[in-house]
Amino acid sequence: MEFEQRFGSPRPRQFFAPGRVNLMGAHLDYNGGPVMPLAIDRGTFVALRARADRRLRFASTFSTESLEADLDELPPARSGSWWDYPLGVLREVPVNAAASGLDVLFGGNLAVGAGLSSSASICVGTAMALSEVWGLDLDPMARVRAALRAEREFVGVRCGIMDPFAIGLAKQGSLLWLDCKDESTLHLPLDFERVSLVVADSGVRRELAAGFFNQRVDECRRALEILKEAQPDAACLRDVLPETLEARRGALAEVLERRASHVVGEVARTFEARDALLEDRPGDFGERMTRAHESLRDLFEVSCVELDCLVETAVAQEGVLGGRLTGAGFGGCAVILVRRGAEEGLVARLGEVFRARFGRETAVEVYAADRGPREIEP
Ligand code: GLA
């Protein structure tokens, strides 16, 4: 197998961490709002084996570049390479002075940079693998925290808390309800006997996506500063009441008004979606997803023509409950909730329309929910 080819030693231990889609609560995590992500059956594999010395070797099936370092002399800063993610995690876990070196191979079946959280997947997977191999006994929450700090402090992305929580706390057959203001969580059942998830990749990857993302974070912060003048108790944009926004619209620059309107509307929609799920109204849940997409397109301005085409085509199709872009946007994937039995027609239709309009193929697949990070047979 590939591990043996790369490192010349057989029988590694192997771990899997899923990716995620977020069904509701778009761009709410860094605004203190509620989110509803779901772990998916595509993710990252981490195969590793302890060494007799203190050398560290990180290789990936996605890249020819690899890292070689000494545990006692780790690179002090990010390099811009893929290994910044696992290295950032390693720097966050309590490494014992006697810990062995490691050979580690990363791989996976998750599209990278497609809004499915490949970065949190590799970080949470690394935290679990290191914890198990070094006997660190990190519980799921400690692994989530290490993953989050790695991305924020070492890699330097101002991401919210949703992705590592969605992956690290996943439970089979459940959506995660995460309130990002107080970090409380609830597992909500989604009935996969009756509905399926279809994920369609727009194929668009924006090099500048991190820059656009940080810009949105900044716009939300600026909108909050102004709205706070009218509602001083608002600690985050999620706290801003619709009536405060209404009264202060004129005080906000147009672009900030659009960003704040998305957040205030999405908070309300996400609570409505939760009620719809709890009251077994999947149609109403799906309808909130589609409204969320429209708001991401018109008010938050993070969609693109390919994603709009996928969502519009999907929701016009028999059996589709709703659809929206997932992740930060600016390209990446659309996620569609569809009644069981209608998947095949939808996959065919999306492929056909996308090909006719853009002259290229789109990857459209049915995804299943996943039960979270775990050790697997290599
Ligand atoms: C990216 C970020 C998340 C979240 C989403 C948008 O995936 O990493 O923290 O902000 O975008 O909902």
Side-chain angles (χ1 to χ4, degrees), residues 20 22 25-30 35 115 117 119 151 157-163 213 324 327-329:
R20 65 99 193 89
N22 61 320
H27 287 271
L28 290 193
D29 57 353
Y30 56 86
V35 295
S117 203
S119 55
E151 263 201 84
V157 181
R158 291 161 72 185
C159 57
I161 67 171
M162 172 171 73
D163 300 343
F213 182 81
R324 44 160 287 187

Side-chain angles (χ1 to χ4, degrees), residues 91-270:
R91 298 175 65 93
E92 291 296 339
V93 301
V95 188
N96 187 306
S100 59
L102 298 170
D103 286 337
V104 194
L105 178 65
F106 298 90
N109 53 9
L110 194 59
V112 174
L116 302 176
S117 203
S118 52
S119 55
S121 176
I122 190 173
C123 287
V124 175
T126 302
M128 178 173 207
L130 295 179
S131 174
E132 293 295 312
V133 167
W134 280 337
L136 303 177
D137 219 11
L138 300 179
D139 64 19
M141 208 49 223
R143 302 192 303 238
V144 166
R145 298 252 174 253
L148 192 59
R149 279 195 306 268
E151 263 201 84
R152 283 183 175 167
E153 317 288 329
F154 196 68
V155 182
V157 181
R158 291 161 72 185
C159 57
I161 67 171
M162 172 171 73
D163 300 343
F165 272 73
I167 291 166
L169 305 183
K171 254 195 200 164
Q172 187 64 56
S174 300
L175 283 183
L176 185 71
W177 169 270
L178 165 63
D179 189 319
C180 300
K181 192 168 176 194
D182 61 9
E183 299 191 357
S184 58
T185 57
L186 254 180
H187 287 93
L188 302 176
L190 186 63
D191 187 358
F192 283 101
E193 300 283 304
R194 287 156 64 208
V195 298
S196 289
L197 283 180
V198 168
V199 174
D201 192 341
S202 69
V204 178
R205 305 284 185 270
R206 293 268 162 86
E207 286 298 315
L208 287 174
F212 281 114
F213 182 81
N214 288 346
Q215 190 188 17
R216 290 297 179 277
V217 175
D218 206 51
E219 287 163 351
C220 289
R221 188 188 50 74
R222 279 159 49 214
L224 175 66
E225 262 168 35
I226 293 163
L227 292 165
K228 256 171 110 77
E229 290 165 10
Q231 195 189 319
D233 67 339
C236 50
L237 216 42
R238 174 259 182 89
D239 292 337
V240 170
L241 299 167
E243 42 279 29
T244 307
L245 179 61
E246 230 19 80
R248 299 292 292 164
R249 270 189 200 283
L252 290 170
E254 263 178 50
V255 67
L256 298 188
E257 187 209 321
R258 288 200 292 278
R259 307 302 184 246
S261 298
H262 166 75
V263 172
V264 171
E266 183 74 355
V267 169
R269 272 190 299 273
T270 304

